[in-house]
């Protein structure tokens, strides 16, 4: 299975900050990389798919980049509703595998 | 806007079969892959398997053939059966829609159902 490694595992930031989360795949996954936002008690949501495509309905302050093995999720000007856990997931190879998650907390 | 809702027992005895159903509302069943994913407490997410609208299925090999998925289009439901469960199968189980044509993203998820394996 392809291993997905996210960093950092947790991050403290303030409203208005710009943050970046990285995800590294153990082998080439082209652009088959999705970022999910997860809040306990709610359904996970796609924010970025295809490494850089903004999901319909996701705020434009979310951005993604990368291809091959290295990817980033950037959130510019953090809003209170953005504090959540973020997971990357590869869908290039079967079975699709997830990163361990990055907890984004309010400082 | 498609909505998914999991249902089933929240407690299963060890060695028995975990059975869950996902009800699909507000969207087409065709052209998508209907999936199960689980989230282990304090740990990561694992893709369990999917069933395609035409009945084709695929399961994660890590589950060693314990998984059966089925689809009832007339009722807009798909189901998961996981046999011979142990405490290691305790998790939050999600149903999700896999959009194969959009970089295979899981673009809709249910709220999740916590299943505990314990006697």
């Amino acid at each position: 299975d392809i291993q997905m490694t996210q960093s950092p595992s947790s991050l403290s930031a303030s409203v208005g900050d710009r943050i970046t989360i990285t995800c590294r795949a153990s082998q080439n996954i082209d652009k088959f990389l999705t970022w999910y936002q997860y809040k306990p008690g709610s359904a996970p949501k796609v924010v970025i798919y295809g490494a850089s495509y903004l999901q319909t309905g996701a705020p434009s302050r979310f951005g993604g980049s990368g291809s091959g093995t290295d990817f980033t999720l950037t959130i510019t000007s953090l809003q209170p509703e953005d504090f959540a856990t973020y997971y990357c997931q590869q869908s290039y190879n079967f079975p699709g595998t997830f990163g361990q998650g990055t907890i984004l907390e309010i400082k | 806007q498609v909505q998914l809702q999991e249902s089933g027992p929240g407690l299963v005895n060890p060695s028995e079969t975990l059975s869950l159903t996902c009800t699909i509302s507000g969207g087409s069943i065709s052209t998508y892959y209907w999936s199960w994913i689980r989230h282990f407490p304090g740990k990561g997410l694992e893709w369990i398997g999917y069933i395609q609208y035409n009945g084709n299925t695929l399961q994660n090999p890590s589950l060693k053939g314990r998984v059966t998925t089925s689809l009832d289009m007339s009722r807009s439901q798909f189901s998961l059966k996981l046999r011979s469960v142990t405490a290691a199968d305790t998790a939050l189980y999600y149903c999700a829609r896999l959009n194969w044509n959009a970089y295979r993203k899981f673009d809709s998820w249910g709220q999740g159902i916590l299943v505990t394996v314990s006697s």
Side-chain angles (χ1 to χ4, degrees), chain A residues 31-32 34 36 38 41-44 46 49-50 53 55 87 89 91-92 94-96 98, chain B residues 37 39 43-47 58-61 92 94 102-107 109-111:
Chain A
K31 298 192 76 172
F32 285 83
T34 303
Y36 299 91
Y38 176 75
S42 298
V46 175
Y49 70 96
Y53 295 96
Q55 174 72 6
Y87 291 93
Q89 184 242 337
S91 52
Y92 182 78
F94 166 79
F98 293 82
Chain B
I37 297 161
H39 190 185
K43 297 181 182 177
L45 291 142
E46 180 181 58
W47 175 77
L58 196 61
Q59 289 85 40
N60 193 325
L92 184 60
Y94 291 100
Y103 287 94
R104 305 171 200 160
K105 59 181 175 178
F106 294 108
D107 64 0
W109 297 60
Q111 301 272 16

Side-chain angles (χ1 to χ4, degrees), chain A residues 41-65:
Chain A
S42 298
K45 294 180 182 178
V46 175
V47 289
I48 297 289
Y49 70 96
S52 60
Y53 295 96
L54 185 67
Q55 174 72 6
T56 302
S60 60
R61 58 183 179 272
F62 287 89
S65 65

